[in-house]
Amino acid sequence: MSIVVRNVSKRFGIFQALDDVSLDVEGGALTALLGPSGSGKSTLLRIIAGLEWPDAGEIQLAGEDATALSTQQRGVGFVFQHYAAFKHMSVRENIAFGLKVRKRPKEEIRSRVNDLLALVQLQGFGDRYPAQLSGGQRQRMALARALAPEPRVLLLDEPFGALDARVRAELRGWLRRLHDETHTTTVFVTHDQEEAMDVADEVVVMNRGRVEQVAPPRELYDAPANEFVMSFVGRANRIGNTWVRPHDLEVVLEPNGSTREAQVERVVHLGFEVRAELVRDDGEQLAVQLTRDQAAALELARGQIVYVRPTRETVF
Amino acid sequence: MNVRRFLLRFTALGYLLLVLLGPLAMVFVRAFDQGAGALWRTLSDPNTVHAFELTTVIAGITVPLNTVFGVVCALAIVRRRFPGAGLVNALVDLPLAISPVVVGLSLFLLYGRTGWFGPWFERHGTQILFALPSMVIATIFVSLPFVAREVVPTLREIGDEQEQAARTLGASGWQTFWRITLPSIRWAVVYGVVLTTARCLGEYGAVAVVSGNLEGKTQTATLRVQDAYENFNQAGAYGVALVLAAMSVVVLVAMTLVKPREESV
Amino acid sequence: MGLGAAIVVSLLNAVFGTITAWVLVRDEFRGQSIVNAVIDLPFALPTIVAGLTLLALYGPRSPVGIDVSLTRKAILLALLFVTLPFVVRTVQPVLLALDLEAEEAARALGAGEFRVFRSIVLPNILPGILSGVALAFARAVGEIGALVLIAGNRPFKTEVASVFVFLHIQGGDQAGASAVAVVMLAISFALLLLIGGLRFLATRHERA
């Protein structure tokens, strides 16, 4: 089911959370809303779900105006950052909730809950209470709960934000596979660019209540629309008016005409990747990213004099 | 460090013993002063029995009404952002700040022979003052805040994310309340009900003003204590007081049982 | 009328209530949970019974040889009894929520125990103490049940506002009762405002 956002604005007191935002999400797509905190990404998601009301603008779901519909009527699945688990209900009761309020037959509910428990790999945990689950398990339960009524759209608000790094990575892959199987239109909010690039087909970059760019992950990185996207997605050096990615700087030991002299300030070894901070002769600070082999060949060390040259630059 | 700690502990416990526990223990001693037989005669006196019945009836009407009101009020204060929510919040505390005697007086002025509503009710043959209705109204007023005051912080603490989740799952407002909100606040409600009950059973001032204190008619248990004491019937006073004190011990136990659960949610 | 007693009672409550809350939160001893439960006794016990109990222990036939009935001390005692939980119950949750690390940080910076209490603990619990005191004061001004047996009969009938109103209504003097009741109402509203203001003050650091 497609989602269309038309000229939506929202203000909290003096804070402009959304400023005339428009967005098209195709049916069946997996989309990330990416931005720093306060960029309006969560507010936009909550407005799509009907949990907040826009001050102006329109929301269409499956081509129909849904602006005036209540959350209950919109048929969206929503996953909250802090799980919003029903603490007084078992895992099974949590997942069954959306079906029970729809008065589905008992037998149907039971089999659907069993299927979902298997889908989120929580078989055997059905009779536990949320307090007895780990964070990752709770979030899987919340996902199963949101999926139970077969929503037309799945919305996730920083779903992995409260989890530790390893569990995050695991759930990320899992969400991707789930989407590949069900093709439910999915929109998730994240402030983690790696998460957005890893999982989504399409990334919406937001900043200060506006949409900065909508593009597939690769295009976002290779062809950022403006300076904000350039600096927010991936690391970048700003030299005067031009931008250079740390891996687009060539480092050599002998000057060759187009290079400039720089001194090594710091070298950090991160396994395969080696990061170095250089200070150019004009005082410009540069972050450089090399492979382990490149760094070894240069025998890169603090205080060393090297010569750098950008191989690829972007000017806005 | 240790000396100071023991000093503080000793001070606190000594103070409690002096002001709280010592006097309470004496009620039990005095009630049995003249033996269990005398105690039983006092308690089986028809007027005493009637006093306890009246107290129970008043509590039976007041507690359910104030429970519903308290929960609705707490929801209004915490969940609905409307102008004047702060005012409602302050008004709920009003009965805690106003003397029961003043409450009684205002009922007196409203429903008395020369009051605003008094003559109207009199013409329609309904006795408000010196009868059950005014005693119930007085008790409702003084025990009004307890449920709301317990539920408000709990509602704040659980937040509204679970309720939002229920709505995204297709639950109506009514379904959300019964299936999500109420189970989450149930212990706070129970705790508030216990406090309300205690206040209903123990109310003296407001009821004393409006009831007329007629033995066997409009005399509640607490009024009976006063009546007996002032008529030099010490056994009677301490006997009724003993039952009331025993009830409050039950209330205390109930409060202790309920409270830790509420905190662990 | 009775305001003097209410003020004394409020001050005593501020001190002993805070100490009691402290002992309940920071100290550990056997039977602590029972003591904690007993604090609520004045909420659970009918106040007329409270008055009677005080007469039993500190009255004419006192087993400990202290007879304060028919003196002002009796009024003080009765008011102390019924107002005991207020400060304890408003300070206790604040103490519980207090960040122990802030106190440890202060100690690490060289602050002595008194300094830690004055600079770290007290500013945090002060709004709690004050709103507890305000509630206790309101209760002390309006209390009738606990006083009626002690002071209701003659000698101190003009000493306490609530008793004055009570006796004048029963005596049929509604005008006189109303005059005093209006003053009491004004005090009640002022206290409510104060408590509301304190609540605002207590949360000021949490508001953005």
Side-chain angles (χ1 to χ4, degrees):
Chain A
M1 186 181 75
S2 65
I3 304 169
V4 176
V5 177
R6 279 281 159 270
N7 309 103
V8 163
S9 293
K10 175 76 181 178
R11 189 181 262 282
F12 295 108
I14 57 160
F15 178 67
Q16 186 80 45
L18 291 177
D19 185 5
D20 195 26
V21 168
S22 294
L23 180 68
D24 282 23
V25 176
E26 270 177 49
L30 176 48
T31 305
L33 299 181
L34 172 68
S37 60
S39 59
K41 53 193 193 303
S42 282
T43 306
L44 180 58
L45 194 78
R46 291 171 61 81
I47 285 178
I48 294 172
L51 290 170
E52 303 278 357
W53 301 96
D55 298 335
E58 188 184 306
I59 302 290
Q60 293 170 13
L61 298 176
E64 283 172 35
D65 185 3
T67 319
L69 292 185
S70 71
T71 306
Q72 189 195 359
Q73 295 162 320
R74 287 194 196 192
V76 299
F78 201 99
V79 175
F80 296 79
Q81 178 176 5
H82 299 289
Y83 328 123
F86 301 143
K87 291 176 185 159
H88 59 286
M89 296 183 193
S90 67
V91 171
R92 192 172 272 286
E93 290 167 327
N94 261 278
I95 297 174
F97 184 85
L99 302 169
K100 275 191 191 153
V101 298
R102 285 177 173 74
K103 311 246 180 329
R104 296 274 174 80
K106 278 217 173 77
E107 197 43 48
E108 182 195 325
I109 294 179
R110 226 168 58 95
S111 78
R112 175 101 181 112
V113 170
N114 282 337
D115 291 350
L116 284 162
L117 280 172
L119 182 73
V120 298
Q121 291 153 17
L122 285 175
Q123 305 105 312
F125 290 87
D127 295 323
R128 294 215 192 171
Y129 283 84
Q132 300 165 310
L133 300 180
S134 71
Q137 290 169 333
R138 267 184 238 182
Q139 198 55 300
R140 293 213 300 269
M141 176 195 87
L143 258 160
R145 185 178 71 182
L147 290 170
E150 293 174 324
R152 302 182 293 172
V153 179
L154 185 59
L155 305 171
L156 306 96
D157 188 4
E158 299 258 8
F160 314 132
L163 303 170
D164 67 51
R166 207 175 47 80
V167 181
R168 280 175 90 113
E170 201 181 294
L171 280 187
R172 235 146 69 177
W174 187 85
L175 176 64
R176 180 70 240 183
R177 284 198 302 281
L178 179 80
H179 181 264
D180 292 342
E181 281 171 31
T182 61
H183 293 289
T184 308
T185 311
T186 303
V187 180
F188 74 100
V189 161
T190 179
H191 63 265
D192 180 346
Q193 41 157 313
E194 199 189 311
E195 189 165 289
M197 313 273 267
D198 182 6
V199 180
D201 300 321
E202 190 107 305
V203 179
V204 179
V205 181
M206 295 190 65
N207 183 37
R208 296 175 174 208
R210 291 177 160 276
V211 172
E212 299 281 355
Q213 187 173 5
V214 183
R218 189 162 170 192
E219 190 185 321
L220 211 59
Y221 191 80
D222 293 340
N226 53 39
E227 297 196 337
F228 175 79
V229 179
M230 179 87 199
S231 63
F232 188 74
V233 179
R235 293 186 304 146
N237 294 298
R238 181 186 185 147
I239 310 165
N241 281 331
T242 62
W243 293 82
V244 182
R245 298 280 188 204
H247 48 76
D248 291 334
L249 280 164
E250 187 185 27
V251 181
V252 291
L253 293 172
E254 299 294 331
N256 67 7
S258 60
T259 57
R260 294 191 55 170
E261 187 182 306
Q263 188 171 24
V264 180
E265 283 257 288
R266 210 164 96 87
V267 182
V268 181
H269 293 267
L270 296 166
F272 173 74
E273 178 194 350
V274 176
R275 289 183 189 172
E277 281 168 32
L278 312 181
V279 180
R280 221 162 61 170
D281 51 6
D282 58 356
E284 199 75 60
Q285 293 254 0
L286 296 177
V288 181
Q289 187 181 15
L290 302 164
T291 66
R292 194 177 59 172
D293 292 347
Q294 285 171 330
L298 293 165
E299 292 175 4
L300 221 50
R302 199 184 148 176
Q304 190 184 6
I305 299 295
V306 294
Y307 299 88
V308 289
R309 180 178 74 88
T311 55
R312 194 183 144 147
E313 294 172 307
T314 311
V315 181
F316 293 100
Chain B
M1 182 69 205
N2 266 336
V3 175
R4 182 172 25 233
R5 170 168 291 198
F6 279 113
L7 204 65
L8 285 174
R9 187 189 300 177
F10 183 77
T11 310
L13 295 183
Y15 181 71
L16 291 179
L17 189 69
L18 223 58
V19 177
L20 221 56
L21 292 179
L24 185 69
M26 279 312 293
V27 173
F28 289 86
V29 174
R30 282 289 146 82
F32 288 101
D33 256 1
Q34 283 147 20
L39 181 63
W40 177 247
R41 269 195 303 284
T42 307
L43 291 180
S44 53
D45 179 301
N47 287 332
T48 305
V49 173
H50 180 268
F52 277 110
E53 280 170 4
L54 185 58
T55 294
T56 312
V57 167
I58 292 174
I61 299 171
T62 304
V63 173
L65 281 176
N66 274 350
T67 304
V68 173
F69 176 83
V71 171
V72 170
C73 241
L75 283 171
I77 290 168
V78 179
R79 289 288 187 258
R80 300 247 174 269
R81 275 167 241 141
F82 63 94
L87 191 70
V88 173
N89 199 0
L91 283 180
V92 164
D93 281 347
L94 199 60
L96 288 182
I98 293 185
S99 170
V101 177
V102 176
V103 174
L105 176 64
S106 48
L107 290 180
F108 215 88
L109 296 176
L110 281 179
Y111 298 106
R113 211 167 275 268
T114 57
W116 291 358
F117 307 140
W120 188 86
F121 279 109
E122 200 164 341
R123 276 201 303 281
H124 292 77
T126 311
Q127 175 86 6
I128 303 284
L129 222 49
F130 308 124
L132 188 65
S134 66
M135 298 166 81
V136 170
I137 296 172
T139 311
I140 286 177
F141 190 92
V142 296
S143 63
L144 199 61
F146 295 105
V147 171
R149 279 176 66 90
E150 291 305 319
V151 174
V152 162
T154 311
L155 268 181
R156 287 228 166 89
E157 198 191 309
I158 59 171
D160 59 356
E161 241 192 17
Q162 293 184 52
E163 290 162 23
Q164 288 177 11
R167 282 195 287 142
T168 65
L169 291 167
S172 65
W174 195 241
Q175 284 172 320
T176 305
F177 174 75
W178 282 107
R179 290 167 182 261
I180 305 299
T181 313
L182 195 59
S184 314
I185 59 172
R186 62 189 186 278
W187 292 114
V189 174
V190 171
Y191 193 69
V193 166
V194 171
L195 283 173
T196 309
T197 311
R199 187 62 205 257
C200 288
L201 297 178
E203 176 50 25
Y204 171 81
V207 170
V209 171
V210 298
S211 74
N213 197 3
L214 293 173
E215 200 175 46
K217 288 213 166 67
T218 60
Q219 190 173 61
T220 62
T222 50
L223 294 175
R224 179 105 190 127
V225 173
Q226 181 214 1
D227 202 47
Y229 187 83
E230 289 183 347
N231 290 310
F232 305 102
N233 173 9
Q234 296 247 343
Y238 284 108
V240 177
L242 177 76
V243 176
L244 286 170
M247 281 174 165
S248 60
V249 169
V250 172
V251 166
L252 262 192
V253 171
M255 280 159 90
T256 324
L257 289 181
V258 169
K259 212 162 196 182
R261 297 202 206 184
E262 179 196 349
E263 276 157 9
S264 71
V265 165
Chain C
M1 279 196 307
L3 289 188
I7 290 168
V8 173
V9 164
S10 302
L11 292 178
L12 283 173
N13 262 307
V15 176
F16 286 105
T18 307
I19 292 176
T20 308
W22 179 276
V23 168
L24 284 176
V25 174
R26 293 293 172 84
D27 203 356
E28 254 176 67
F29 53 91
R30 268 148 62 95
Q32 194 172 23
S33 55
I34 295 173
V35 175
N36 188 27
V38 163
I39 300 291
D40 286 328
L41 185 66
F43 284 160
L45 193 70
T47 52
I48 189 93
V49 179
L52 194 66
T53 62
L54 288 168
L55 280 176
L57 186 57
Y58 303 116
R61 289 197 294 144
S62 170
V64 289
I66 305 168
D67 182 2
V68 295
S69 65
L70 311 182
T71 75
R72 279 178 205 163
K73 287 190 197 110
I75 294 174
L76 278 186
L77 259 178
L79 293 180
L80 279 179
F81 183 98
V82 295
T83 57
L84 188 134
F86 289 107
V87 174
V88 181
R89 289 302 185 225
T90 50
V91 172
Q92 205 177 9
V94 188
L95 267 181
L96 266 175
L98 217 55
D99 184 8
L100 277 176
E101 282 185 2
E103 287 171 50
E104 283 161 1
R107 258 175 230 125
L109 290 165
E113 286 307 313
F114 181 69
R115 182 77 209 208
V116 169
F117 180 77
R118 214 193 60 193
S119 305
I120 311 292
V121 180
L122 194 58
N124 278 299
I125 62 173
L126 195 60
I129 296 178
L130 290 179
S131 53
V133 166
L135 284 170
F137 185 79
R139 182 68 191 264
V141 170
E143 180 55 32
I144 176 71
L147 298 182
V148 77
L149 294 183
I150 297 170
N153 273 339
R154 333 317 154 218
F156 302 104
K157 66 177 166 193
T158 57
E159 292 273 325
V160 182
S162 54
V163 178
F164 178 93
V165 175
F166 186 65
L167 293 179
H168 278 252
I169 299 169
Q170 297 202 321
D173 175 16
Q174 291 183 16
S178 302
V180 177
V182 166
V183 176
M184 292 172 72
L185 262 182
I187 295 174
S188 300
F189 279 109
L191 287 170
L192 270 187
L193 277 178
L194 180 70
I195 293 168
L198 287 169
R199 207 176 274 164
F200 187 77
L201 203 67
T203 54
R204 71 194 184 282
H205 299 306
E206 277 101 61
R207 277 193 300 272

